[in-house]
Amino acid sequence: MVQVELIRADALTEADIARWRAMVAADPALASPYFRPEFTQVAAAISPEAAVAVFHEGGEIVGYFPHQRRGGAVQPLAAPMNDYHGVIAFPGQAPDLGEVARLLNGARLNVGSWVGPADGLGQVRDTCQVVMPDGYDAWYAERRREFGKYFKDKERARRSLEADLGPIRVEHKVRDPALLDHLIQLKRDQYRRTGRHDVFACGWTADLLHGLMQTQGQGDFGASMAALWAGDSLCAIEYSLHARGCYHFWFPAYVPELARCSPGILLSLDTMRRGAEDGYDEFDFGFGGESYKKYFCNAQRQVAEAVVLRPGLGARLSQSAVGVLNLAGNGRGERLRTSVRRRWAAIEACEVTSADRLKGAAHAARTALTRRFAPA
């Protein structure tokens, strides 16, 4: 029987950290910076109600799961910011998603991109990676052959941006707190324009980015920004995590008025070129929803998105509601539930009080109604 012990992240011993690092090194699926102990140590000091589940079997530690609680819900640590999560364990030893939910005994366990055994729970989603075993030039040549029109357009966009504003200059490994505050404001403006929940309004999420940027682990873990200027104008910024050979693009932002010149895409291209020179051979773009990612990505990773409900009335009511809506055909109930669940998961994870969660839900409802009845 697997048993669980809940501890604070700052109670992890040197032996725990050494075991954690060995587990990550042994499993390629855990290569992402989100699985590093440095990420957990910083995030757990900032995110409210954070803890680490330590799984024991036969007197031995077999895994760790960093998480947070929001009321009765259990979520991966740093949700909704965390792009990958799961149990840190040696290959084949991790408890599956259903067992983790049972052991943690929350009203529900929400996961958006679970790495590891999920026992068929939830739905499978694909994330988007660029792998460069032969370096940037070989990757770019292959992509340009496959999508010539797209990449020629980006080359023209670069020339147009330089003609309008001046020579392009890109800086990498930037750790300027003021620049990060500017990036966060650009993202907040974007959330306002698009009607999405502002994940930075709660405060602790911005503190997380600042905290990670100040942390440099054992030489290969860190967070930094890249920024693109044309002449004297700052055009795009991107905040990323990196560890070993993996570079994870996390929060991109660009000046909306320059969208026709694609400054964000130009910055990503230059970042990959420079990153490859520094020894990175995998660049992770997270979920592949945005249209531009299909031109970049030459690899995928499958993750699970699920809400595992504690058995009882709530679980039965949720499934019954989906069944009623599905009577309309075409899986409408399941799609509606997924959409509502994703919006609520972001609100619930960010906002730590019931009042703020209700405010966030009310704003989401108003936005949905405004769009539903907006003139065509």
Side-chain angles (χ1 to χ4, degrees):
M1 287 284 294
V2 177
Q3 296 179 316
V4 65
E5 173 191 13
L6 301 183
I7 65 171
R8 289 170 52 96
D10 57 13
L12 291 164
T13 66
E14 290 185 8
D16 285 314
I17 297 299
R19 186 183 298 108
W20 189 311
R21 293 189 192 284
M23 289 170 169
V24 169
D27 190 348
L30 302 179
S32 170
Y34 294 102
F35 293 113
R36 290 289 293 267
E38 294 95 333
F39 181 87
T40 291
Q41 288 168 322
V42 173
I46 293 170
S47 175
E49 296 189 66
V52 176
V54 184
F55 298 108
H56 299 258
E57 186 172 14
E60 299 291 331
I61 293 175
V62 296
Y64 302 91
F65 177 53
H67 63 280
Q68 62 194 26
R69 289 183 183 261
R70 298 290 184 266
V74 178
Q75 305 160 337
L77 179 62
M81 315 279 277
N82 188 329
D83 283 357
Y84 291 110
H85 35 262
V87 176
I88 291 89
F90 287 114
Q93 291 189 5
D96 65 29
L97 178 58
E99 189 169 17
V100 171
R102 180 185 65 79
L103 288 165
L104 294 182
N105 196 34
R108 63 188 180 280
L109 171 61
N110 274 38
V111 296
S113 46
W114 179 265
V115 175
D119 198 27
L121 294 170
Q123 60 178 311
V124 174
R125 301 179 72 190
D126 292 326
T127 63
C128 166
Q129 286 81 42
V130 171
V131 293
M132 296 183 182
D134 301 314
Y136 177 85
D137 290 341
W139 168 82
Y140 188 77
E142 186 277 327
R143 294 282 94 184
R144 202 175 186 280
R145 284 193 299 271
E146 181 76 12
F147 302 107
K149 183 177 183 300
Y150 179 84
F151 285 100
K152 286 177 184 175
D153 177 67
K154 300 312 163 194
E155 291 162 7
R156 283 193 295 269
R158 181 182 292 271
R159 294 192 294 270
S160 176
L161 188 60
E162 288 190 311
D164 289 348
L165 297 176
I168 287 178
R169 169 173 58 92
V170 175
E171 292 188 6
H172 296 89
K173 299 181 181 177
V174 180
R175 295 183 175 90
D176 177 4
L179 184 64
L180 177 52
D181 286 336
H182 182 59
L183 166 61
I184 290 169
Q185 188 57 54
L186 287 173
K187 294 302 293 184
R188 297 192 69 183
D189 292 343
Q190 177 188 344
Y191 298 143
R192 196 173 299 113
R193 289 194 307 272
T194 59
R196 292 177 58 189
H197 183 70
D198 181 355
V199 301
F200 291 113
C202 59
W204 72 263
T205 47
D207 292 341
L208 173 65
L209 297 193
H210 278 282
L212 287 166
M213 198 171 66
Q214 295 167 10
T215 300
Q216 298 307 302
Q218 296 187 347
D220 66 349
F221 175 89
S224 64
M225 292 174 290
L228 181 147
W229 281 263
D232 295 326
S233 299
L234 178 61
C235 304
I237 318 169
E238 183 137 29
Y239 183 103
S240 302
L241 287 176
H242 24 85
R244 286 196 293 180
C246 180
Y247 199 104
H248 188 100
F249 292 110
W250 201 4
F251 281 97
Y254 61 88
V255 176
E257 291 77 15
L258 298 175
R260 66 180 182 82
C261 294
S262 305
I265 289 172
L266 298 180
L267 176 58
S268 294
L269 285 167
D270 197 85
T271 299
M272 287 191 289
R273 179 179 61 79
R274 289 281 297 274
E277 292 171 358
D278 289 340
Y280 295 99
D281 57 10
E282 178 182 322
F283 298 86
D284 199 315
F285 284 83
F287 288 119
E290 293 89 344
S291 60
Y292 76 89
K293 292 182 181 179
K294 69 179 181 182
Y295 301 107
F296 282 64
C297 297
N298 57 3
Q300 291 180 327
R301 177 173 294 133
Q302 289 192 329
V303 297
E305 178 186 27
V307 176
V308 186
L309 297 171
R310 181 194 292 155
L313 179 61
R316 293 195 296 272
L317 287 174
S318 174
Q319 196 54 46
S320 297
V322 171
V324 169
L325 288 168
N326 274 340
L327 294 175
N330 300 320
R332 179 171 174 263
E334 189 60 54
R335 290 197 302 274
L336 179 59
R337 181 171 71 167
T338 297
S339 175
V340 171
R341 183 178 66 202
R342 287 175 182 169
R343 286 179 175 270
W344 173 246
I347 295 167
E348 184 178 47
C350 291
E351 310 303 339
V352 297
T353 69
S354 298
D356 286 336
R357 288 195 284 270
L358 286 172
K359 266 194 244 178
H363 177 264
R366 286 195 301 271
T367 299
L369 287 171
T370 300
R371 290 187 170 187
R372 173 67 179 83
F373 294 105

